[in-house]
Every structure is written in structure tokens, then in C-alpha cells.
Amino acid sequence: MAAGPLTQITDMIVLEVFTPYVQQVTEQKSRLIQSGALSRSPILDNFLAGGGLTVNVPSFTDLDDDDDNVSTDDVADVIAATAGAAWPSPSLDATPLKITADQEIAVRLSRNNSWSSADLAAALAGADPMSSIADRVAFYWSRKLQKAYVATWNGVIKDNTANDSGDYTNDISGGSFVDGVTNFSAEAFIDATATLGDSSDDLGIMMVHSIVKARMKKNNLIDFIPDSEGRVNIPTFQGYIVIEDDGMPVTSSVYDTWIFGSGATMLGTGSPKVPTEAYREPLAGNGGGEEILTNRVEWCIHPIGHAYTGTAPNGGPGNGTGANQLNVAGSWNRVYPERKQIKFARLVTREA
């Protein structure tokens, strides 16, 4: 039996419908957004809707812990002045204090990729081929969003290590593996959260490598709770939501575990001038032709309390470790004055 006609990308994609649908599905599939580790920000959305590679995000600091005043009813100076005497110096007047502001800086990330119809053809067996393609593209961007997130925080950690005495981190990895000493434990985890002092209760999400999660399972440290619909069991540890990702930093057998508070990182999403294109390349394949789908995204991933201090290249920084990229110390600086204002902690372990 002869094969039916081939369904082409251009036969099914309505660009103005496809683009927002992919963004919506990407957010639904992102474990970072679902967990609250990455929170949507209308301020950053508005920034991406305009021009520029970076945006200043001012924020007021907390009030200083100055001594309070002891109230008094001594108004003798005022009474004397109203009786005709010279107005005295305000020796008993309280001196108003001031509040200051920090200047955070967020950076635009402009990313894109393309796929040919040959790569997507296997997805067209279902009843809704447009949905199948959108799912594949959304899964791709969900993974890339997570990689950019990891690169961002890795750069922040490097800056913290270089310039803030590494006060985000509890490192128990040691020089060699010692079971029960260098690997993940509840005690080491608690010590990491304690770097926030009395603000440690603001944390509630942890991000681990699969090797670390396996250790947690072996030690019976993982609990599972159903989601709101009762369809998925969410892994938790001491009430913390556990996100598993093998993109977490690892060197040999030394692993990072990151612990976040909800909203510790803000996400903005924008719309490129042409978010999605589907077109034919008639000369490809020695004239056989090819259909190509291109999708573009605009993101801003901003770690609260920090400033991007690099010189952003056109299109924004990449995920790498070169100059001005996300994954380098020189691209970031903590602007919040207190460590406990940063809702983040890091545990470094050595696993067998």
C-alpha cells in the first residue's frame, strides 16, 4: 500500500498560535518553575519587551539596626522659646534615620535553535501533529532554561567564593572519600542551611545530582508526597522539594547540592521580533528540499541580591566560562549587604 502524503511543518504551524503555546508548555514542563525555585517577574518581562542588554533593578535595603530612642516629656526648651527667649538648639530632638537602596543588575539572554522536518517527522504519528512538535520544542527549551539557571548560579557561587569568603557554602568533601563523613547526610545539609542563620526557614527547595539523590535514597532520606491532583509523587527531604538534575556541578566525585528559597531567582520572558519561522530550503538535499523550523526565546534569569557585572555581548552571555559569560566569577557581584538576605545555600559532598 502506498504511503500517504507527508505532512509538512508549514501545513500545520500557525506561528502566532504556536509561539505562545510553546512558551506555555515550556513553563508547565520546567521543574524549576513548578517548584518555585524560578519565579516569574513582570518587571523583567517589561524589560525584555524593550531594548537594552541589561536593566537596573533597584531595591531598598532593610533598616539598619541602630539604637532606638528613649522617649521623654522634657519640652522645656520649646516652652522657653515660646515665652520670648531665643530658640534653643534642638539638643533633645530625635535625629531621623535614612534608608538606602541596592542596585541589582539583570541581563538579557537571547537564544534560538532550528530543527528540520526530518528530525520532527517521527512526532507526526499522533492525532495532533502540531501539539507533538510543540511538546518536543518545549521539552528542549525547558532543559535549556535549566542549564542557563545552573550556569547563572555557578557563576554567582564562584563570585561568592572569591569575594565573600564563600559564606554560601558548607563543603565536607575533604581530600578523599570517607563513608559517612564526606557524603550527603542530614547533618551536613542542616549545617549548610544554617549559613543563613535565623533566616534558614526561608529555604524550601533543593537541587541535587542523581548520584546524590541515590545516596539519599540509600539512607532512606527521601519521602514522597502526592501533587495537588494526586497523579505524581513529589520527592521531598525534611519538607524540602527535591529537584534532580545531572547538570548540577560535579568534579570527579565531588558534587554540589543547592538549596533555595521560593523566589530566590526571578525569570522574565520576552518575545523576539520573529519568535518562530517555518520555511523551505529548496536546494538542500541536492535539490530534494528541506523544511526547517526556527524558534527563538528571550529570557532574563536574575538571582535576587546580585548584579551582572560583565560586559554583555550582543545576544547576552552564554552558559560558558569565558569572559562575560554566566558561569564565571567576574560576571557577578553580591549587592545585598547581609548573607542571610540571599535565600540560597550550597552543600558540597564527595560520593563514592
Side-chain angles (χ1 to χ4, degrees):
M1 180 172 134
L6 175 64
T7 303
Q8 303 287 337
I9 294 175
T10 49
D11 295 330
M12 67 190 70
I13 292 220
V14 181
L15 301 185
E16 61 270 22
V17 175
F18 180 82
T19 299
Y21 178 57
V22 167
Q23 178 175 311
Q24 177 186 358
V25 176
T26 298
E27 294 188 8
Q28 289 173 349
K29 295 180 183 301
S30 171
R31 289 171 293 172
L32 290 169
I33 296 176
Q34 291 173 356
S35 69
L38 194 56
S39 300
R40 287 297 305 275
S41 168
I43 294 175
L44 297 182
D45 288 350
N46 290 336
F47 154 56
L48 293 175
L53 288 172
T54 61
V55 61
N56 292 337
V57 185
S59 58
F60 288 110
T61 62
D62 200 356
L63 299 180
D64 290 334
D65 194 20
D66 297 282
D67 291 337
D68 50 355
N69 298 317
V70 177
S71 301
T72 177
D73 61 356
D74 187 353
V75 292
D77 288 349
V78 177
I79 294 173
T82 56
W87 193 266
S89 61
S91 58
L92 296 179
D93 287 0
T95 302
L97 304 175
K98 65 180 180 179
I99 189 171
T100 59
D102 294 319
Q103 193 77 286
E104 301 174 60
I105 302 175
V107 63
R108 179 190 300 266
L109 306 178
S110 298
R111 308 286 176 90
N112 73 84
N113 217 330
S114 301
W115 299 268
S116 69
S117 60
D119 294 335
L120 297 170
L124 305 185
D128 185 357
M130 179 172 173
S131 178
S132 296
I133 292 176
D135 280 349
R136 295 187 68 148
V137 174
F139 266 123
Y140 172 83
W141 286 124
S142 179
R143 295 193 303 270
K144 295 306 170 184
L145 179 65
Q146 197 138 309
K147 287 183 180 297
Y149 176 90
V150 169
T152 295
W153 273 101
N154 215 28
V156 167
I157 289 168
K158 291 176 180 178
D159 165 69
N160 176 256
T161 301
N163 300 309
D164 300 296
S165 302
D167 57 6
Y168 296 163
T169 298
N170 177 34
D171 186 345
I172 63 166
S173 60
S176 59
F177 174 73
V178 180
D179 190 24
V181 176
T182 66
N183 44 8
F184 185 95
S185 67
E187 180 179 0
F189 178 87
I190 293 171
D191 287 342
T193 64
T195 61
L196 275 83
D198 58 8
S199 293
S200 61
D201 288 345
D202 293 338
L203 303 174
I205 305 155
M206 59 187 300
M207 195 169 180
V208 302
H209 192 280
S210 61
I211 295 296
V212 177
K213 187 178 178 183
R215 168 59 57 187
M216 297 170 71
K217 286 181 176 179
K218 291 175 183 177
N219 292 344
N220 293 319
L221 297 176
I222 297 286
D223 295 317
F224 292 89
I225 60 173
D227 68 359
S228 58
E229 298 179 357
R231 295 189 297 183
V232 178
N233 283 326
I234 301 172
T236 65
F237 166 69
Q238 294 190 356
Y240 290 74
I241 295 172
V242 179
I243 301 175
E244 179 183 6
D245 191 282
D246 281 346
M248 287 293 291
V250 53
T251 303
S252 298
S253 57
V254 176
Y255 295 83
D256 271 24
T257 293
W258 294 349
I259 311 152
F260 295 94
S262 180
T265 315
M266 305 304 292
L267 171 68
T269 61
S271 180
K273 180 179 179 180
V274 183
T276 306
E277 291 182 271
Y279 66 98
R280 285 195 58 80
E281 181 57 63
L283 299 181
N286 198 27
E290 179 184 25
E291 286 217 337
I292 299 173
L293 171 71
T294 298
N295 192 220
R296 305 177 180 92
V297 297
E298 295 269 337
W299 292 330
C300 183
I301 300 174
H302 180 59
I304 295 298
H306 298 86
Y308 175 81
T309 55
T311 302
N314 292 336
N319 297 345
T321 57
N324 303 309
Q325 300 300 295
L326 293 176
N327 194 355
V328 290
S331 292
W332 300 100
N333 180 51
R334 185 169 86 196
V335 296
Y336 278 9
E338 295 184 47
R339 188 272 174 267
K340 65 174 64 178
Q341 292 177 287
I342 307 299
K343 308 308 179 185
F344 170 81
R346 173 184 178 232
L347 173 61
V348 182
T349 60
R350 187 183 298 273
E351 309 295 334

